[in-house]
């Protein structure tokens, strides 16, 4: 087996002390069946990123996290990357202009969807009319926007065939964040929309019994946020296909911040994956590297080790440097950063050398802050098979249209 047991936690890859301490806290709290760390693990809030906790009859809003249903959609197009290279820069400019990244919305396209008639919106009505109205309005205003942080829209060239792929990465936006904080508030006896004190990095997980009223409400709200995230990623992929003038002939779509009801070894459990991709035998998923590294399409293997992982694998390369370490601290009065280890010019040079047309992104998302994806994939070689290797040729992230690497 490629993993090791550390005080009952199954750990793939090189253990990170901070993430392991969080995993041990999770393992000691609630009705835990098993706790695991994928090879891309690092510290998160309460449950580590790259962490998987399997519960008997419980669900964890803090384990799923604030970005409910964060995940990826990737599609293979019917064109070759070589065919668009002469106009790649213009296409990336259009992506940056037409799709909303970061905070707010840069376009006025209101995206309607039948999920706004979903009966699970009644969960918020049960909390209160004002809460129902505010969250639904927020969800409607942000559907089809990408957000900030490590969320992206990328173009890739498949290494073996030269085919052009499109992928995106984001979740349920402010609606998901408000849902998570709202249920964490309710669990602590506060009002849903109260100003929560916020989670501490190493606090124990917030747990709800799945058969309780609050647990059932959260589960329904989480699933609704999952459908919302799927709708948003679908919409953005359609936009990019239209910009390129291509059609998709294969798609891969999955969450990696979510809780699933599953059966393992004949037992019904709840598997909470935070920054971990489901990998049941034959299940296909997208795993992204940094903007200066490959991404891959993988398929779960039918092996004992994959069963031991509760059919879970990495969701990315995993950070080795925090955002503050990389980019420094922001002085909001002067709107300047200081103390960062990575300069914008360093980032730009690395990305250009890799052959990527970049729009947006800060140094906290540079290739230097992530492990090499191949290293973490190798740690899971007995659980997943790499089907397609994808090399980025265009990357668009928050700051697109406003980021000047020579001035930042």
């Amino acid at each position: 087996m490629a993993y090791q047991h550390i005080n009952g936690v199954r750990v793939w890859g090189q253990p990170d002390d901070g993430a392991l301490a969080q995993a041990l806290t999770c393992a000691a709290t609630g009705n835990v069946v098993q706790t695991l760390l994928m090879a891309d693990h690092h510290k998160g809030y309460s449950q580590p990123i790259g962490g998987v906790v399997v519960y008997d009859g419980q669900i964890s809003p803090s384990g799923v996290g604030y970005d409910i249903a964060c995940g990826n959609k990737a599609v293979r197009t019917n064109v070759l990357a070589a065919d668009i290279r002469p106009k790649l820069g213009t296409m990336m400019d259009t992506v940056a202009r037409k799709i909303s990244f970061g905070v707010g919305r840069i376009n006025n396209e209101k995206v309607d969807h039948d999920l706004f008639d979903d009966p699970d919106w009644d969960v918020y009505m049960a909390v209160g009319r004002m809460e129902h109205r505010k969250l639904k309005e927020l969800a409607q205003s942000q559907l089809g926007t990408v957000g900030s942080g490590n969320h992206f829209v990328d173009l890739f060239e498949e290494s073996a065939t030269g085919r052009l792929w499109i992928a995106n990465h984001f979740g349920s936006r402010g609606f998901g964040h408000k849902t998570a904080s709202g249920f964490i508030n309710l669990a602590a006896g506060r009002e849903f929309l109260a100003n929560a004190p916020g989670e501490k990095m190493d606090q124990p997980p917030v747990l709800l019994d799945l058969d309780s009223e609050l647990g059932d409400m959260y589960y329904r709200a989480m699933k609704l946020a999952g459908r919302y995230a799927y709708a948003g990623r679908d919409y953005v992929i359609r936009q990019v296909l239209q910009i390129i003038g291509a059609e998709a002939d294969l798609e891969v779509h999955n969450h990696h911040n979510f809780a699933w009801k599953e059966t393992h070894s004949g037992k019904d459990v709840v598997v909470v994956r935070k920054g971990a991709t489901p990998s049941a035998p034959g299940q296909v998923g997208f795993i992204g590297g940094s903007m200066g590294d490959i991404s891959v399409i993988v398929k779960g293997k039918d092996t004992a080790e994959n069963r031991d992982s509760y059919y879970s694998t990495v969701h990315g390369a995993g950070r080795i440097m925090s955002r503050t370490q990389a980019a420094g601290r922001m002085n909001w009065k002067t709107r300047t950063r200081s103390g960062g280890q990575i300069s914008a010019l360093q980032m730009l040079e690395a990305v250009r050398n890799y052959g990527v047309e970049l729009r947006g992104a800060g140094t906290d998302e540079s290739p230097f802050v992530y492990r090499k994806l191949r290293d973490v994939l190798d740690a899971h070689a007995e659980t997943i098979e790499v089907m397609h290797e994808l090399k980025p040729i265009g990357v668009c992230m928050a700051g697109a249209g406003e980021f000047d690497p020579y001035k930042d």
Side-chain angles (χ1 to χ4, degrees):
M1 297 296 180
Y3 64 88
Q4 56 183 306
H5 289 274
I6 303 179
N7 295 329
V9 177
R10 295 175 184 170
V11 182
W12 278 259
Q14 184 64 34
D16 173 89
D17 290 342
L20 178 59
Q22 291 183 321
L24 291 170
T25 298
C26 290
T29 309
N31 303 330
V32 176
V33 177
Q34 184 62 57
T35 304
L36 314 97
L37 288 173
M38 306 296 99
D40 60 337
H41 65 267
H42 55 96
K43 284 192 72 167
Y45 286 96
S46 184
Q47 181 170 319
I49 297 166
V52 179
V53 186
V54 184
Y55 292 101
D56 181 5
Q58 291 182 310
I59 194 167
S60 174
S62 59
V64 172
Y66 290 102
D67 197 0
I68 297 174
C70 187
N72 300 93
K73 181 173 183 179
V75 299
R76 185 180 66 191
T77 74
N78 62 341
V79 303
L80 296 175
D83 294 338
I84 70 156
R85 279 193 181 276
K87 47 190 176 182
L88 178 60
T90 300
M91 286 181 172
M92 294 305 296
D93 289 340
T94 306
V95 170
R97 187 176 66 252
K98 289 200 67 174
I99 296 173
S100 292
F101 294 85
V103 179
R105 188 176 201 116
I106 63 169
N107 58 49
N108 295 317
E109 283 186 63
K110 185 176 180 181
V111 185
D112 201 9
H113 198 281
D114 58 10
L115 70 85
F116 293 116
D117 298 320
D118 195 302
D120 280 337
W121 284 102
D122 292 347
V123 167
Y124 300 99
M125 188 63 79
V127 173
R129 287 184 177 275
M130 179 179 67
E131 290 81 357
H132 176 270
R133 177 179 57 80
K134 284 191 172 183
L135 265 74
K136 199 166 189 179
E137 287 177 353
L138 179 62
Q140 288 171 323
S141 70
Q142 290 190 333
L143 183 61
T145 64
V146 175
S148 56
N150 61 350
H151 297 150
F152 62 72
V153 173
D154 285 4
L155 304 184
F156 296 92
E157 180 175 6
E158 185 178 340
S159 299
T161 66
R163 294 281 288 276
L164 179 73
W165 286 69
I166 305 165
N168 59 28
H169 172 222
F170 61 96
S172 50
R173 305 290 284 110
F175 161 58
H177 191 285
K178 290 285 188 185
T179 295
S181 60
F183 278 94
I184 290 172
N185 275 336
L186 293 178
R190 298 185 293 265
E191 295 292 322
F192 188 91
L193 293 177
N195 290 323
E199 284 190 276
K200 297 179 181 178
M201 287 288 285
D202 297 318
Q203 74 175 44
V206 175
L207 296 173
L208 303 174
D209 291 332
L210 204 56
D211 61 2
S212 69
E213 181 182 14
L214 195 58
D216 179 66
M217 288 171 64
Y218 173 75
Y219 181 69
R220 290 175 60 197
M222 180 200 69
K223 288 197 300 179
L224 179 63
R227 294 192 287 277
Y228 178 84
Y230 260 73
R233 293 191 291 261
D234 286 342
Y235 174 76
V236 170
I237 289 290
R238 288 196 300 270
Q239 283 185 300
V240 182
L241 284 168
Q242 188 175 39
I243 290 168
I244 293 171
E247 295 179 358
D249 61 13
L250 176 68
E251 70 174 47
V252 179
H253 204 167
N254 51 266
H255 301 317
H256 49 237
N257 285 6
F258 210 64
W260 288 264
K261 292 180 181 179
E262 297 177 0
T263 303
H264 292 268
S265 302
K267 183 179 180 62
D268 293 336
V269 293
V270 178
V271 183
V272 179
R273 297 182 177 94
K274 177 183 278 187
T277 305
S279 63
Q283 185 171 7
V284 179
F286 172 92
I287 298 174
S290 75
M291 65 178 76
D293 197 2
I294 60 168
S295 293
V296 291
I297 307 296
V298 300
K299 180 169 66 175
K301 293 182 176 180
D302 188 4
T303 62
E305 187 168 322
N306 199 18
R307 290 191 290 275
D308 288 350
S309 75
Y310 284 79
Y311 299 141
S312 307
T313 192
V314 297
H315 82 307
R319 298 186 76 92
I320 54 174
M321 189 183 296
S322 73
R323 295 186 182 280
T324 301
Q325 285 175 307
R329 295 192 178 277
M330 173 66 82
N331 183 325
W332 291 105
K333 289 184 179 179
T334 62
R335 296 193 65 81
T336 58
R337 288 187 179 273
S338 61
Q341 297 180 29
I342 309 299
S343 73
L345 290 177
Q346 283 177 304
M347 178 185 75
L348 187 63
E349 182 179 8
V351 173
R352 279 181 174 169
N353 287 343
Y354 201 67
V356 172
E357 189 82 25
L358 177 63
R359 298 293 181 273
T363 55
D364 55 346
E365 286 301 322
S366 67
F368 305 102
V369 308
Y370 288 97
R371 300 177 178 95
K372 284 295 183 182
L373 183 61
R374 181 58 64 186
D375 292 340
V376 299
L377 293 173
D378 287 347
H380 289 265
E382 292 302 312
T383 67
I384 54 171
E385 169 192 353
V386 175
M387 300 173 64
H388 306 284
E389 182 178 296
L390 313 177
K391 183 180 183 296
I393 60 172
V395 172
C396 199
M397 304 182 76
E402 61 189 47
F403 172 70
D404 184 341
Y406 293 98
K407 296 179 181 176
D408 187 61

